[in-house]
Amino acid sequence: MNNDELDLWEVFLRSARGIEHKHVGSLHAANAEHAMESARDVYTRRQEGISIWVVRSKEIHASQSEDSEMLFDPAEDKIYRHPTFYDVSEKLKL
Amino acid sequence: MVKNMEKIGQFERKIAEEEKIEPKDWMPDKYRSSLIRQISQHAHSEVVGQLPEGNWITRAPTLRRKATLLAKVQDEAGHGLYLYSAAETLNTSREEMWDALLDGSAKYASIFNYPTPTWADVGAIGWLVDGAAIVNQISLCRTSFGPYARAMERICREESFHQRQGFEIMQTLAKGSEEQREMAQDALNRWWWPTLMMFGPHDAHSMHSQQSMKWKIKRQSNDELRQQFIDQTVEQADHIGLTIPDEKLKWNEERGHYDFGEIDWGEFERVLMGHGPCNQSRLQARQKAHEKGAWVREALSVYTAKEKRGDFKIMEREAVNE
């Protein structure tokens, strides 16, 4: 038996109430319970989190870098989506 | 062919513009293999690095020191795991890396092939060995490969206490009885030169350095980092009244750095080739730990297989029916 038989999991931590979960790293584990226990030992030794999410890496669907242009370039010329695009007096609370 | 040139161009542009390379980006094979070698060696060093200090956990002089040492050794295990994970993003497996460590074909930092006969060695390791590792790792926070840089940042954050607790041990011994002071000095005498060797051969003789610097895997040269470590450590030794065992150590006003004596590169080579004082016992300890953990891995494997087959659900249903 080796680690390759253990699934790879991604670990997300919420560092404090009111803050979103953030990806912190990965680990190998047999199941969710095992992943949770390992995540606690590996990623929260200094009170880094108050909540843990673990998810099997193979369940994550990632965008491909070759698709980046298609996905993200269309937003580039839409500067009118930002407040600074609009010409209004600095004095007014707008 | 044109496509390939384009990819290389893109890769080199990212490096030039200080953009990080991420696992799914195209990268030259040599970049990938250099990183796998460097990161896995780094991971092995963290894991083997637990052994010299682990030797003292049961004999730490106070409860405070014992709790500290336990936490530090546990951190080293964690650091090994961060680094193995970073290496795995390059399409190597945990098992491959692990096998290479256990069969002796992989390298780890030679410093861990030196023994820890006294309590002062625990102090010297924290102060000097972790101190040197931090100098190297702070530089590596700027490495071009994203997952490696992120692991380094986390490790640097956690390691600052490692060096401070080591220095505190040395400081306490240096202020203690004559015998304790001598013990601290003796540990410094034994660890100083091997610590300087941690930074690797002189730049002119370093096999992998040039290409690694070009690809920004390494950001500062071996000699540069070594000098930085020496410059910052001299003052620390003075502060606690210990003497660095190098007669040639002298401030050079013109260079703005300390001059120092020549490292015994013969010793460096011997330990690297497996003939240091503890090479064999370190490897044997790892192998033994792996064998002793076999039943845990087996139990996990059987449990996982049963879970996947749904055996536990059947058992639950039967329990309800009864």
Side-chain angles (χ1 to χ4, degrees):
Chain A
M1 135 104 205
N2 58 53
N3 253 312
D4 291 338
E5 290 176 32
L6 296 184
D7 287 337
L8 188 65
W9 296 69
E10 301 301 325
V11 181
F12 300 80
L13 289 182
R14 177 201 286 281
S15 59
R17 293 181 66 82
I19 293 176
E20 64 273 49
H21 285 76
K22 197 177 158 205
H23 183 244
V24 291
S26 51
L27 49 81
H28 289 275
N31 55 31
E33 191 186 349
H34 183 207
M36 194 61 86
E37 280 168 11
S38 298
R40 178 248 184 208
D41 286 345
V42 180
Y43 293 105
T44 67
R45 291 194 302 282
R46 286 173 177 78
Q47 298 178 295
E48 289 92 336
I50 56 158
S51 162
I52 304 173
W53 284 354
V54 288
V55 58
R56 280 193 175 83
S57 309
K58 62 184 176 199
E59 300 294 341
I60 293 179
H61 298 267
S63 63
Q64 302 298 309
S65 56
E66 54 266 32
D67 297 336
S68 292
E69 281 177 34
M70 178 187 73
L71 291 169
F72 309 120
D73 282 4
E76 208 173 45
D77 58 358
K78 295 177 180 56
I79 47 175
Y80 46 84
R81 283 174 177 162
H82 298 278
T84 47
F85 178 74
Y86 299 93
D87 193 14
V88 294
S89 168
E90 293 287 327
K91 289 180 204 148
L92 302 171
K93 286 185 180 170
L94 272 167
Chain B
M1 196 62 197
V2 175
K3 187 96 186 182
N4 213 25
M5 293 292 285
E6 205 177 294
K7 281 178 178 168
I8 293 172
Q10 252 178 15
F11 173 82
E12 288 185 342
R13 180 193 54 77
K14 279 184 199 155
I15 298 278
E17 290 173 7
E18 296 288 323
E19 255 183 61
K20 298 285 183 212
I21 306 298
E22 293 295 338
K24 292 202 166 163
D25 295 344
W26 183 90
M27 61 186 85
D29 291 343
K30 191 73 202 314
Y31 179 82
R32 184 183 298 275
S33 62
S34 296
L35 275 169
I36 291 175
R37 181 182 47 77
Q38 181 168 336
I39 302 173
S40 62
Q41 280 181 13
H42 200 157
H44 298 327
S45 302
E46 299 284 353
V47 170
V48 178
Q50 296 175 90
L51 297 171
E53 291 177 294
N55 179 32
W56 279 93
I57 290 175
T58 55
R59 291 173 291 153
T62 66
L63 188 58
R64 179 177 182 266
R65 296 288 188 213
K66 193 204 271 282
T68 299
L69 190 55
L70 262 174
K72 178 180 189 300
V73 171
Q74 195 188 10
D75 273 353
E76 308 298 1
H79 296 173
L81 292 175
Y82 305 154
L83 286 160
Y84 284 125
S85 290
E88 280 171 87
T89 65
L90 292 157
N91 289 339
T92 180
S93 70
R94 184 78 57 105
E95 197 200 21
E96 272 174 87
M97 293 186 273
W98 207 233
D99 284 349
L101 174 64
L102 294 176
D103 72 19
S105 58
K107 296 256 184 299
Y108 54 84
S110 276
I111 192 78
F112 300 119
N113 292 316
Y114 289 86
T116 46
T118 75
W119 170 250
D121 292 316
V122 174
I125 289 179
W127 174 35
L128 302 173
V129 176
D130 287 277
I134 290 169
V135 166
N136 185 36
Q137 289 172 163
I138 284 178
S139 178
L140 283 172
C141 287
R142 290 164 50 235
T143 190
S144 57
F145 186 57
Y148 193 24
R150 291 191 284 276
M152 282 299 105
E153 270 173 34
R154 179 178 289 271
I155 288 173
C156 284
R157 224 169 23 239
E158 296 186 350
E159 255 184 17
S160 59
F161 105 72
H162 296 186
Q163 193 190 14
R164 288 171 68 107
Q165 64 85 35
F167 185 75
E168 196 194 70
I169 291 173
M170 293 301 263
Q171 182 172 257
T172 306
L173 291 173
K175 282 194 297 202
S177 66
E178 186 52 29
E179 203 184 347
Q180 286 171 319
R181 209 201 66 78
E182 274 170 24
M183 192 198 281
Q185 182 62 51
D186 169 64
L188 171 57
N189 293 348
R190 282 181 291 108
W191 289 94
W192 177 254
W193 291 102
T195 300
L196 297 190
M197 294 176 200
M198 284 173 69
F199 295 96
H202 282 313
D203 297 344
H205 304 128
S206 180
M207 229 175 17
H208 306 289
S209 274
Q210 246 183 343
Q211 184 62 61
S212 285
M213 293 282 285
K214 198 181 131 220
W215 277 333
K216 297 184 181 170
I217 294 175
K218 280 177 72 161
R219 302 308 305 256
Q220 285 168 288
S221 78
N222 295 352
D223 287 329
E224 228 178 307
L225 293 167
R226 184 163 23 236
Q227 183 72 61
Q228 196 181 322
F229 171 77
I230 292 169
D231 290 348
Q232 74 185 40
T233 309
V234 173
E235 193 190 343
Q236 296 163 3
D238 282 348
H239 183 78
I240 52 175
L242 296 180
T243 310
I244 289 174
D246 179 358
E247 285 170 6
K248 294 197 175 138
L249 192 72
K250 195 168 168 266
W251 178 252
N252 183 328
E253 191 64 49
E254 206 175 303
R255 289 203 310 127
H257 292 292
Y258 280 92
D259 288 337
F260 54 98
E262 194 48 60
I263 289 165
D264 179 355
W265 294 109
E267 178 180 332
F268 174 78
E269 284 296 327
R270 278 194 301 282
V271 183
L272 195 66
M273 289 303 148
H275 307 299
C278 302
N279 294 60
Q280 274 196 340
S281 68
R282 297 294 183 235
L283 200 55
Q284 281 164 1
R286 286 312 316 152
Q287 288 161 343
K288 200 169 131 199
H290 193 70
E291 282 161 25
K292 279 190 164 177
W295 71 270
V296 179
R297 295 190 297 277
E298 198 186 329
L300 262 175
S301 153
V302 173
Y303 184 92
T304 311
K306 285 189 172 178
E307 195 181 43
K308 277 183 183 157
R309 270 204 320 256
D311 286 12
F312 300 126
K313 280 183 191 137
I314 296 168
M315 281 163 62
E316 266 170 39
R317 267 205 303 278
E318 281 169 357
V320 170
N321 290 342
E322 277 164 22

